[in-house]
């Protein structure tokens, strides 16, 4: 129980860092810490395969993608006009605290006894890949197929979104945004590089 | 001595609420995205906690929850790929990811 309290404290501090830190890179690294702690929590819940997948896929691949995009876009600390709805920030904080309190109260209200640790350990067997595969290729086979289609669609969609038009590489780029203006200036012979 | 299921679900609720606050208060689209990831992981934690709770019933009842988390991870990966592609496309067009400035998709 003390171990769980420590893990929960680390996770909550990391999550608060994601929400409160001003620099996007710092927030992303704070989220990495939260996700790694969540992997440890999975281990305490007898889900060892999911813990490994959490480290490899989430804290590894997905967060590296995030860091790449943050550094590619070079997002500065937030500037701009003040938001249109005054008091929205405090309303959001109040809603968050109320939601957390409500979920906590409801969760602790249920007096159902915790499962017997020996039975759980015997049934889950550590949550290995074999047991997950039994369910994934059995009851959830349709979901497995749909995820395959979704990943293919996602890859094609990401490529189609990010690639530049073939004609804009030679002529002046379309659009009148600041990035388009910068590109146009870089394309001119005497322009700023 | 492991913690009861209620403690894990309460932790999941707190993390989810923090992520929701982030979605509502942050203005950069990337930060909104990070907060959405936080909410997704809170849901995963609840699923794994309930999977352990129901493992007392049988192997299938316990492992189904963990397998659903596996599928959610794949869906999250696809979502991040497409979402960050949209972000890069928006940033290329207007050199900003402020969600308050993106009002032209409004009905």
């Amino acid at each position: 129980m003390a171990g769980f309290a420590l893990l929960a404290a680390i996770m909550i501090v990391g999550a608060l860092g994601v929400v409160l830190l001003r620099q996007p890179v710092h927030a992303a690294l704070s989220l990495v810490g939260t996700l790694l702690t969540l992997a440890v929590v999975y281990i305490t819940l007898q889900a060892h395969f999911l813990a490994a997948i959490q480290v490899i896929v989430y804290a590894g691949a997905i967060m590296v993608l995030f860091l790449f995009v943050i550094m590619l876009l070079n997002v500065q600390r937030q500037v701009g006009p003040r938001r249109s709805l005054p008091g929205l920030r405090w309303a959001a904080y109040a809603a968050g605290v109320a939601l957390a309190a409500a979920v906590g109260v409801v969760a602790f209200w249920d007096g159902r006894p915790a499962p017997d640790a020996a039975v759980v350990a015997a049934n889950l067997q550590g949550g290995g890949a074999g047991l997950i595969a039994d369910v994934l290729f059995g009851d959830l086979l349709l979901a497995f197929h749909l995820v395959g289609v979704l990943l293919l669609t996602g890859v094609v969609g990401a490529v189609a979104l990010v690639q530049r038009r073939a004609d804009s590489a030679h002529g002046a780029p379309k659009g009148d945004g600041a990035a388009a203006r910068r590109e146009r200036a870089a394309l001119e012979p005497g322009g700023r590089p | 001595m492991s913690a009861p299921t209620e403690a894990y679900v309460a932790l999941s609720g707190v993390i989810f609420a923090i992520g929701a606050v982030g979605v509502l208060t942050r203005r950069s689209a990337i930060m909104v995205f990070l907060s959405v990831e936080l909410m997704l992981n809170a849901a995963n934690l609840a699923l794994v906690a309930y999977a352990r709770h129901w493992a007392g019933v049988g192997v299938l009842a316990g492992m189904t929850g963990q397998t659903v988390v596996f599928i959610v991870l794949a869906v999250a990966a696809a979502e991040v790929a497409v979402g960050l592609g949209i972000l890069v496309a928006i940033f290329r067009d207007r050199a900003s990811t402020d969600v308050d400035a993106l009002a032209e998709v409004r009905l």
Side-chain angles (χ1 to χ4, degrees):
Chain A
M1 197 65 194
F4 172 76
L6 179 64
L7 290 174
I10 295 176
M11 274 189 75
I12 290 174
V13 167
L16 285 176
V18 174
V19 173
L20 295 178
L21 287 176
R22 308 302 288 179
Q23 288 281 353
V25 175
H26 295 171
L29 290 177
S30 176
L31 183 56
V32 170
T34 306
L35 296 181
L36 288 176
T37 316
L38 185 59
V40 180
V41 173
Y42 283 169
I43 291 178
T44 68
L45 283 169
Q46 304 269 328
H48 295 112
F49 180 68
L50 281 182
I53 290 296
Q54 174 86 5
V55 172
I56 294 172
V57 173
Y58 238 119
I62 293 183
M63 290 317 296
V64 165
L65 197 59
F66 261 106
L67 285 174
F68 256 120
V69 170
I70 287 174
M71 293 177 180
L72 176 72
L73 300 189
N74 194 15
V75 182
Q76 300 299 324
R77 54 184 66 225
Q78 302 173 1
V79 291
R82 59 185 279 275
R83 58 176 52 252
S84 47
L85 284 178
L88 182 62
R89 174 179 298 268
W90 297 108
Y93 285 149
V97 171
L99 182 59
V103 172
V105 165
V106 169
F108 280 110
W109 198 269
D110 189 7
R112 195 177 297 197
D116 187 14
V119 176
V120 168
N123 273 340
L124 285 184
Q125 297 165 26
L131 284 176
I132 286 190
D134 281 345
V135 181
L136 189 61
F137 299 124
D139 281 355
L140 297 179
L141 188 61
L142 178 63
F144 178 73
H145 283 169
L146 290 178
V147 163
V149 175
L150 177 73
L151 284 175
L152 178 65
T153 314
V155 168
V156 173
V159 170
L161 276 170
V162 174
Q163 76 169 354
R164 293 165 190 272
R165 293 250 166 74
D167 53 347
S168 73
H170 299 293
K174 295 185 180 64
D176 51 353
R181 249 179 280 123
R182 235 184 298 126
E183 278 182 15
R184 223 173 290 141
L187 280 176
E188 285 168 3
R192 200 163 43 87
Chain B
M1 181 61 201
S2 61
T5 306
E6 286 88 352
Y8 286 102
V9 176
L11 174 63
S12 159
V14 170
I15 300 289
F16 189 91
I18 293 174
V21 168
V23 168
L24 289 175
T25 56
R26 298 310 288 254
R27 302 181 34 199
S28 167
I30 287 188
M31 303 311 303
V32 173
F33 225 138
L34 284 179
S35 303
V36 168
E37 295 301 316
L38 211 53
M39 295 165 75
L40 265 174
N41 278 282
N44 278 351
L45 174 59
L47 274 171
V48 177
Y50 281 124
R52 189 196 62 163
H53 194 93
W54 284 97
V57 177
V59 180
L60 191 65
M63 290 314 290
T64 305
Q66 294 194 10
T67 312
V68 168
V69 170
F70 192 67
I71 291 174
V72 169
L73 275 175
V75 173
E79 171 232 339
V80 165
V82 174
L84 289 180
I86 291 175
L87 270 185
V88 170
I90 290 175
F91 187 83
R92 206 176 266 164
D93 186 48
R94 47 175 61 228
S96 154
T97 57
D98 192 342
V99 288
D100 285 344
L102 291 174
E104 61 224 21
V105 268
R106 190 183 283 164
L107 283 179

